[in-house]
């Protein structure tokens, strides 16, 4: 199971160059690496980070993800369709 997961991760990061367009392939690779936070991880580990700063950063990222998840849930709730009254309270 572990090997298959690593093979899948490698295959998902494989970029094919089409029509000798290396610039486009580099842009796609940079987008994939930035989405997976590889660049941020590299920047963080370039220098030593004190354990207290690590804890602060991890706690902030956790709170931010919880907030973003909650806000996206609220926005989906407000924008949902097929409601009896799409704008409750507005007459």
């Amino acid at each position: 199971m572990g090997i298959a997961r690593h093979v899948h991760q490698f295959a998902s990061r494989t970029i094919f160059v089409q029509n000798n367009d290396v610039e486009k392939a580099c842009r796609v690779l940079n987008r994939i690496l930035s989405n997976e936070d590889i660049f941020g991880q590299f920047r963080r580990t370039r220098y030593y980070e004190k354990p207290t700063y690590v804890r602060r950063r991890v706690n902030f990222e956790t709170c931010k993800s919880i907030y973003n998840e909650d806000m996206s849930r609220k926005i989906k709730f407000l924008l949902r369709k097929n409601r009896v009254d799409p704008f409750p309270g507005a007459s």
Side-chain angles (χ1 to χ4, degrees):
M1 183 67 173
I3 294 173
R5 184 171 54 96
H6 292 298
V7 168
H8 176 68
Q9 287 176 347
F10 176 76
S12 66
R13 290 187 187 137
T14 303
I15 307 297
F16 294 105
V17 178
Q18 296 176 346
N19 300 328
N20 291 329
D21 194 4
V22 178
E23 307 251 342
K24 184 176 179 183
C26 285
R27 284 196 302 269
V28 170
L29 179 64
N30 284 337
R31 184 169 9 107
I32 289 172
L33 293 177
S34 64
N35 285 342
E36 294 181 0
D37 200 34
I38 303 278
F39 289 139
Q41 206 172 24
F42 170 72
R43 288 187 196 105
R44 282 193 298 271
T45 58
R46 196 174 350 181
Y47 302 109
Y48 175 74
E49 191 175 13
K50 286 184 174 181
T52 55
Y53 290 132
V54 172
R55 284 194 297 271
R56 282 179 60 188
R57 179 177 49 79
V58 168
N59 287 336
F60 173 76
E61 290 170 356
T62 305
C63 290
K64 185 177 175 183
S65 67
I66 291 171
Y67 174 80
N68 288 340
E69 182 182 340
D70 189 40
M71 289 307 291
S72 66
R73 185 181 52 80
K74 287 179 181 179
I75 289 171
K76 284 180 185 175
F77 175 76
L78 290 175
L79 297 178
R80 74 187 192 277
K81 297 181 182 190
N82 302 326
R83 287 187 282 177
V84 177
D85 185 11
F87 301 104
S91 304

